[in-house]
């Protein structure tokens, strides 16, 4: 994706038309919405052009419907669609999802100013603005579960973005928007249109204000049927199109063609859209996060845990969301950077979360770390001087202003209160695929069946499979200690190879030791010493005032890490509906919200919020060995 590192926010002029401020792009010399009435134009061209009022109102229970858009702009089209969805959506668990691409995103201030025009859209605009992402290239998923509505905002050049989107589900309707072909020819090139069609299927519809020849030819060469009804306002024509298969093409009129589309959507949905029974094995953060993601969509989730929830590596007193950001040109496909923004949105819904800042200290490659300040958007990172720091350190550092901390046990309690989630104490010893389900066994007894199984047992995941990818154990111990005489700022953490922050008003938590290929979990004094030496190496004066390590408390656990450091997220083998989610290393709380959305896309048939090359890196089958479910063994 060569152009994604060049992401810039839109540069705007403003023109007052009949008392309405109309934004005009300096980059393209075109208006963002009609000077006549942009809201009415959106309804006429994109909503009516795709017959969305009828199609959305007829969605079956648990049916997923996806709208694609080629230019996000001010978000007017999506907000208008959202308003329609709220008005006509059926009273069931159907879900509306939008994917939209934007090369020059508006700054948040300009977005607010542009959307102030549309007072009737204000409730939707406020929710959009609250989650509006930083102008960083890549896919940003915005979720509104109470509305059964979500948006994937892909920031970057359409020529790079569309080829990278995995087709885990077809787009049902397209808003072919963006600036006019004469102003922005790149958006309408054959490469873009080819991938728009790749992401579509028979029955997909298309609508555009433009009837330019390049667009009509690009669609027709794929066999897509085009009509040109009257446009909005002074525009004589608009484009309306539908992709019909051979049997549908025999229909006599455009109306009957559209009726066929709606009927086929309903028939397809009736065979695939239903409440699913999801079995999750393991109640660490991977299992809990996955359970929440499916439960929020209305599916029934049962978690099977042999010990207690959070009994493994996820059960420390505090989890720190502290990404190591990559150079900005890699952000669009960097798992940690993509996960960072998504995780902050996800956890902010829970009382267990609190926003904090993290002082990231450069132990080496200081120029590389501090250089990130100029690469990322304003106010994301700030370089520190040694005089500003408490505790005092002579090492260079920067502050990440958008970070967070999670109280795992409080989060666990909030997740397990969800009415669609239940938890059972059981050690699953075998999985047996039967027809379209999987049977779960405990010892020699079958205890449940499920439509889908997700194995979230960290290193123990291999006990259920032959040739499971190697996960190496890493022992880690955190420590906590009284520091009432010199407490740290409650809204700040410090990262230096280890980390420290306030656990509560009187105690500081710090750690963690890191011992690959060890799986012992006793609390060891030598690990307390290790954690002391870590903090002493960066904050010597502060560390020397802490109580003796003999008075420290702690917790040791074992993380699981894959050989290539990427988690395992996806189907174990193509023939069975059994998935795994493991190998999160020390970044479990950071990775799981986004990875859970990836799992939901793969299992439920939704569009995926990461590019194809990153999805491939997460695929458990990347290690090539054929993974098999372990055969049963019963002693005589």
């Amino acid at each position: 994706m060569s152009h994604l590192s060049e992401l810039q926010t839109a540069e705007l002029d403003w023109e007052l038309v009949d008392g309405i401020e109309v934004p005009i792009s300096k980059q393209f010399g075109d208006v963002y919405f009609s000077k006549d009435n942009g809201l009415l134009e959106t309804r006429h061209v994109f909503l009516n052009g795709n017959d969305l009022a009828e199609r959305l109102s007829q969605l079956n229970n648990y049916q997923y419907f996806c709208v694609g858009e080629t230019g996000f702009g001010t978000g007017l089209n999506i907000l208008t669609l959202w308003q329609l969805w709220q008005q006509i959506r059926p009273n069931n668990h159907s879900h509306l999802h939008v994917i939209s691409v934007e090369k020059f995103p508006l700054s948040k201030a300009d977005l607010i100013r542009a959307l102030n025009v549309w007072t009737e859209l204000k409730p939707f605009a406020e929710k959009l603005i609250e989650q509006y992402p930083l102008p960083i290239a890549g896919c940003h998923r915005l979720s509104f579960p109470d509305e059964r509505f979500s948006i994937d905002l892909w920031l970057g050049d359409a020529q790079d973005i569309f080829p990278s989107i995995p087709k885990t589900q077809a787009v049902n309707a397209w808003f072919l928007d963006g600036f006019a072909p004469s102003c922005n020819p790149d958006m309408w090139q054959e490469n873009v249109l080819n991938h728009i069609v790749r992401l579509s299927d028979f029955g997909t519809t298309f609508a555009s204000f433009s009837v330019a020849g390049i667009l009509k030819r690009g669609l027709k060469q794929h066999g897509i049927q085009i009509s040109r009804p009257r446009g909005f306002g002074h525009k004589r024509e608009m484009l309306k199109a539908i992709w019909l298969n051979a049997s549908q093409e025999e229909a006599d009129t455009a109306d009957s063609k559209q009726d066929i589309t709606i009927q086929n959507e309903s028939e397809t949905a009736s065979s695939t859209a239903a409440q699913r029974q999801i079995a999750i094995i393991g109640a660490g953060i991977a299992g809990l996060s996955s359970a929440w993601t499916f439960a929020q969509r209305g599916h029934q989730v049962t978690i099977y845990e042999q010990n207690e929830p959070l009994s493994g590596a996820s059960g420390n007193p505090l989890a720190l969301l502290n990404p190591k950001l990559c150079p900005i040109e890699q952000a669009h496909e960097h798992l940690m950077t993509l996960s960072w923004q998504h995780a902050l949105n996800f956890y902010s819904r829970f009382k267990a979360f609190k926003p904090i800042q993290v002082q990231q200290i450069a132990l080496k490659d200081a120029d590389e770390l501090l250089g990130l300040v100029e690469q990322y958007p304003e106010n994301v990172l700030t370089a520190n001087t040694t005089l500003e720091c408490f505790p005092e350190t002579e090492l260079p550092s920067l502050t990440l202003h958008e970070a967070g901390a999670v109280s795992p046990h409080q989060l666990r309690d909030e997740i397990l209160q969800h009415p669609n989630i239940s938890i059972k104490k059981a050690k699953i010893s075998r999985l047996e695929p039967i027809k379209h389900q999987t049977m779960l066994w405990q010892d020699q007894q079958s205890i449940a069946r499920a439509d889908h199984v997700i194995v979230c047992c960290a290193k123990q995941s291999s006990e259920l499979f032959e040739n499971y990818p190697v996960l190496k154990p890493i022992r880690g111990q955190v420590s906590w200690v009284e520091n009432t005489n010199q407490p740290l700022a409650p809204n700040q953490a410090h990262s230096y190879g280890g980390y420290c922050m306030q656990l509560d008003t009187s105690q500081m938590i710090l750690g963690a030791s890191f011992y690959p290929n060890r799986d012992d979990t006793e609390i060891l004094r030598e690990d307390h010493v290790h954690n002391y030496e870590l903090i002493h190496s960066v904050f010597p004066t502060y560390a020397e005032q802490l109580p003796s390590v003999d008075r420290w408390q702690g917790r040791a656990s074992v993380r699981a890490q894959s050989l290539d450091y990427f988690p395992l997220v996806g189907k174990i083998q193509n023939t069975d509906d059994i998935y795994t989610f493991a190998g999160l290393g020390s970044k479990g709380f950071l990775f799981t919200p986004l990875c859970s959305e990836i799992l939901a896309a793969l299992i439920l048939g939704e569009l995926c919020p990461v590019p194809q090359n990153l999805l491939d890196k997460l695929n458990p089958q990347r290690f090539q060995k054929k993974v098999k479910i372990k055969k049963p063994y019963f002693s005589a």
Side-chain angles (χ1 to χ4, degrees):
M1 292 191 179
S2 57
H3 304 300
L4 288 179
S5 61
E6 304 168 9
L7 188 69
Q8 301 172 6
T9 52
E11 297 178 8
L12 304 182
D13 285 324
W14 299 85
E15 182 177 335
L16 196 63
V17 179
D18 297 328
I20 293 177
E21 277 196 313
V22 176
I24 301 172
S25 169
K26 288 185 179 180
Q27 280 102 339
F28 297 104
D30 201 0
V31 295
Y32 274 89
F33 45 72
S34 168
K35 295 180 181 179
D36 296 334
N37 190 314
L39 182 57
L40 293 181
E41 181 178 49
T42 290
R43 289 173 179 153
H44 178 81
V45 174
F46 297 115
L47 304 190
N48 296 342
N50 283 290
D51 300 284
L52 289 179
E54 184 176 5
R55 295 165 76 185
L56 294 177
S57 67
Q58 295 183 11
L59 293 182
N60 293 331
N61 199 14
Y62 294 98
Q63 188 174 352
Y64 171 89
F65 191 98
C66 183
V67 173
E69 181 184 47
T70 55
F72 180 80
T74 66
L76 176 61
N77 294 339
I78 291 178
L79 295 179
T80 309
L81 172 65
W82 191 350
Q83 180 189 49
L84 173 69
W85 173 243
Q86 189 181 78
Q87 293 168 349
I88 56 91
R89 64 190 178 202
N91 186 21
N92 58 26
H93 287 92
S94 53
H95 184 90
L96 175 61
H97 182 64
V98 177
I99 63 169
S100 183
V101 174
E102 179 57 57
K103 183 178 182 180
F104 296 101
L106 271 67
S107 69
K108 182 174 281 192
D110 282 339
L111 182 70
I112 293 170
R113 183 178 177 182
L115 293 179
N116 277 339
V117 171
W118 315 111
T119 55
E120 66 179 279
L121 299 178
K122 185 177 180 180
F124 311 102
E126 289 176 344
K127 293 177 182 177
L128 171 65
I129 290 164
E130 186 178 357
Q131 292 192 39
Y132 190 64
L134 293 167
I136 297 174
C139 182
H140 305 268
R141 172 155 291 186
L142 317 181
S143 297
F144 309 92
D146 293 340
E147 302 279 335
R148 302 182 351 242
F149 181 66
S150 53
I151 303 167
D152 281 351
L153 181 51
W154 292 79
L155 300 183
D157 194 314
Q159 299 257 15
D160 299 312
I161 293 277
F162 280 114
S164 76
I165 299 177
K167 188 179 180 179
T168 48
Q169 182 56 273
V171 175
N172 301 97
W174 282 98
F175 297 172
L176 300 181
D177 199 4
F179 298 110
S182 58
C183 299
N184 183 19
D186 287 350
M187 176 67 81
W188 307 92
Q189 292 302 310
E190 183 178 3
N191 176 52
V192 174
L193 291 176
N194 286 347
H195 282 284
I196 286 173
V197 174
R198 174 183 67 84
L199 293 168
S200 307
D201 206 343
F202 295 130
T204 298
T205 60
F206 308 79
S208 179
F209 63 88
S210 174
V211 290
I214 188 172
L215 175 59
K216 291 184 291 184
R217 291 190 298 272
L219 294 175
K220 283 181 177 179
Q221 72 177 5
H222 293 284
I224 293 168
Q225 306 298 309
I226 293 174
S227 61
R228 292 179 293 177
R230 181 169 181 79
F232 176 77
H234 67 277
K235 296 181 180 178
R236 186 164 55 91
E237 294 178 324
M238 58 172 275
L239 181 140
K240 182 175 180 179
I242 183 170
W243 191 5
L244 300 174
N245 60 28
S247 61
Q248 289 173 320
E249 288 176 358
E250 297 175 0
D252 293 329
T253 66
D255 288 341
S256 62
K257 289 175 184 177
Q258 188 62 59
D259 290 342
I260 291 171
T261 303
I262 296 169
Q263 179 182 350
N264 281 7
E265 284 176 351
S266 179
E267 289 174 352
T268 301
S270 65
S271 63
T272 60
Q275 187 181 55
R276 313 291 179 89
Q277 300 293 325
I278 311 289
I280 295 176
I281 306 174
I285 187 56
L288 292 171
S289 179
S290 300
W292 180 266
T293 301
F294 285 95
Q296 284 288 85
R297 288 164 165 80
H299 300 286
Q300 289 292 327
V301 181
T302 305
I303 304 174
Y304 297 89
E305 168 59 52
Q306 62 176 323
N307 298 308
E308 297 296 327
L310 300 181
S311 57
S314 304
N316 287 337
L318 200 66
L320 181 62
L321 305 178
N322 175 36
K324 182 179 180 182
L325 298 182
C326 64
I328 196 68
E329 65 269 15
Q330 302 169 15
H332 61 282
E333 57 184 7
H334 188 252
L335 178 62
M336 194 175 299
T337 304
L338 293 175
S339 296
W340 158 57
Q341 288 195 79
H342 186 84
L344 293 179
N345 270 338
F346 174 83
Y347 290 118
S348 65
R349 300 182 174 94
F350 297 94
K351 296 177 182 177
F353 171 79
K354 72 171 182 177
I356 62 168
Q357 300 178 353
V358 179
Q359 180 193 12
Q360 297 182 339
I361 296 171
L363 300 180
K364 57 180 180 179
D365 301 323
D367 290 343
E368 181 179 324
L369 178 67
L370 298 179
L372 295 175
V373 175
E374 300 301 322
Q375 298 179 32
Y376 278 79
E378 188 178 4
N379 299 324
V380 173
L381 299 165
T382 303
N384 303 318
T385 68
T386 55
L387 296 177
E388 297 172 322
C389 296
F390 174 79
E392 293 181 4
T393 180
E394 296 182 356
L395 295 172
S397 68
L398 56 75
T399 296
L400 172 65
H401 294 281
E402 299 197 10
V406 179
S407 299
H409 294 85
Q410 185 179 356
L411 178 71
R412 169 204 63 194
D413 294 343
E414 291 185 69
I415 288 176
L416 293 180
Q417 288 174 5
H418 197 292
N420 290 343
I421 298 175
S422 61
I423 186 165
K424 296 182 179 179
K425 193 165 187 175
K427 178 176 174 58
I428 303 303
S429 56
R430 181 164 64 94
L431 301 173
E432 180 185 1
I434 47 170
K435 295 183 179 179
H436 300 295
Q437 289 188 313
T438 299
M439 186 176 293
L440 285 74
W441 290 75
Q442 180 174 238
D443 297 327
Q444 299 184 31
Q445 181 180 2
S446 169
I447 62 171
R449 294 187 183 192
D451 299 311
H452 312 278
V453 176
I454 308 172
V455 180
C456 305
C457 302
K459 194 171 185 303
Q460 285 69 45
S461 299
S462 62
E463 295 177 4
L464 293 170
F465 306 98
E466 296 177 1
N467 297 323
Y468 189 84
V470 173
L471 294 177
K472 60 182 179 183
I474 302 173
R475 171 191 163 83
Q477 180 175 306
V478 296
S479 308
W480 52 94
V481 59
E482 295 285 339
N483 70 334
T484 51
N485 293 331
Q486 47 179 355
L488 302 174
N491 64 340
Q492 187 166 28
H494 307 270
S495 172
Y496 45 83
Y499 71 93
C500 64
M501 68 176 296
Q502 286 299 122
L503 181 58
D504 52 36
T505 56
S506 63
Q507 295 184 101
M508 175 179 70
I509 187 170
L510 67 164
S513 62
F514 186 91
Y515 295 110
N517 301 314
R518 280 181 55 179
D519 58 7
D520 53 303
T521 58
E522 292 182 22
I523 301 171
L524 300 177
R525 185 182 187 279
E526 65 192 65
D527 281 31
H528 287 323
V529 171
H530 170 90
N531 292 339
Y532 174 80
E533 290 175 346
L534 268 179
I535 190 172
H536 188 273
S537 68
V538 291
F539 304 127
T541 302
Y542 182 84
E544 287 166 4
Q545 299 177 53
L546 293 173
S548 165
V549 294
D550 294 318
R551 296 166 57 187
W552 289 19
Q553 297 175 278
R555 182 179 187 272
S557 58
V558 179
R559 312 177 191 110
Q561 183 80 68
S562 72
L563 296 181
D564 62 5
Y565 302 100
F566 281 92
L568 308 177
V569 183
K571 187 175 277 193
I572 284 291
Q573 54 185 1
N574 292 326
T575 55
D576 301 314
D577 215 354
I578 299 172
Y579 297 74
T580 190
F581 186 8
L584 295 161
S586 62
K587 297 297 181 183
F589 281 83
L590 191 66
F591 288 156
T592 49
L594 181 60
C595 289
S596 295
E597 289 292 323
I598 295 170
L599 273 175
L602 297 175
I603 291 174
L604 301 177
E606 300 176 358
L607 264 291
C608 197
V610 295
Q612 182 66 56
N613 62 344
L614 181 53
L615 186 61
D616 292 341
K617 290 177 181 178
L618 298 171
N619 189 341
Q621 299 177 41
R622 67 187 184 269
F623 291 103
Q624 296 182 338
K625 287 185 179 180
K626 187 173 182 180
V627 181
K628 299 179 180 179
I629 300 169
K630 283 192 175 178
K631 295 180 179 180
Y633 172 78
F634 299 123
S635 58

